[in-house]
Amino acid sequence: MDDVEATLALNQLSLYLSRYYGKKVIILLDEYDTPMQEVYVNGYWEEMAMFTRSLFNATFKTNPCLERAIMTGITRVSRESMFSDLNNLKVVTTTSQEYGDCFGFTEEEVFAALDEFGLSDRREEVRCWYDGFTFGCHRDIYNPWSIINYLDAGKVGTYWINTSSNHLAGKLIREGSRELKMTMEKLLQGESFHVTVDEQVVFDLLDQDDGAVWSLLLASGYLKAEHAIFNRESGGTECDLRLTNMEVQLMFRQMIKGWFGGYRTKRG
């Protein structure tokens, strides 16, 4: 189908459902930003941004059959005009206080599950590998996918990391500034660093501004924010960043090791 027909697809589907059921529809759009990250890595950002803007306009703004919608994603794309036509958006970010305990399993829930599976003696291991996610004032949030797979397999593994594309994170670190690479080395050694982050990720600045990179890694769950304080003057959030947990640390170590895996020492 052509772009015009594709951008109107959800609008038309809403119309048909509304006619059939006699009520307005609810649209749930999960991981809306995953395509945006992929096109950024592969070099056709402008084309996708234009299409997405038209899709969102037809689906959410000019859709008379829409009751309400929920969009989820790991990044809040800003200054790309994709949301410029959308009114009444309520944004919940990693530092928001709302729904903080709803984005993963709490430690109490995880420990109860371990007890039920006869794995009570594994608490510290599980905490080291999968704890660390922070949403607002809620700490010790665990990744549900990792915990479910751990309970099923009975051993640690990079369960969540292996389900997601890490191409963008790898590209930004590999092509980043010298200072960014040095900071990444400190993070891998278990250290933290103080920075002001803007939770509105600007894709056009990712290859120019280290701060935009840290904001993206924070929103993606690779980093966690400690002692977060909103700075009214800058409009950003001051915090200490560190790697979220052992699973994330192992992912970055494997990524960096892979960059050098193709090199071999040659003898003259």
Side-chain angles (χ1 to χ4, degrees), residues 131-157:
D131 184 18
F133 294 93
T134 302
F135 297 95
C137 62
H138 294 274
R139 302 185 180 278
D140 296 318
I141 301 297
Y142 290 68
N143 185 291
W145 181 253
S146 296
I147 295 300
I148 290 173
N149 280 273
Y150 179 88
L151 293 173
D152 181 53
K155 60 181 181 179
V156 295

Side-chain angles (χ1 to χ4, degrees), residues 62-119:
T62 60
N63 187 350
C65 301
L66 177 67
E67 174 67 25
R68 66 180 60 188
I70 297 178
M71 304 169 64
T72 68
I74 61 174
T75 54
R76 180 182 175 186
V77 182
S78 175
R79 296 212 317 234
E80 311 299 345
S81 300
M82 286 188 294
F83 298 109
S84 60
D85 290 337
L86 303 185
N87 300 321
N88 304 320
L89 279 177
K90 185 174 183 180
V91 180
V92 179
T93 66
T94 56
T95 59
S96 300
Q97 301 300 327
E98 295 178 278
Y99 314 114
D101 59 347
C102 300
F103 292 107
F105 293 154
T106 64
E107 189 164 81
E108 181 180 359
E109 292 170 332
V110 171
F111 287 175
L114 291 174
D115 293 342
E116 186 171 342
F117 277 73
L119 300 172

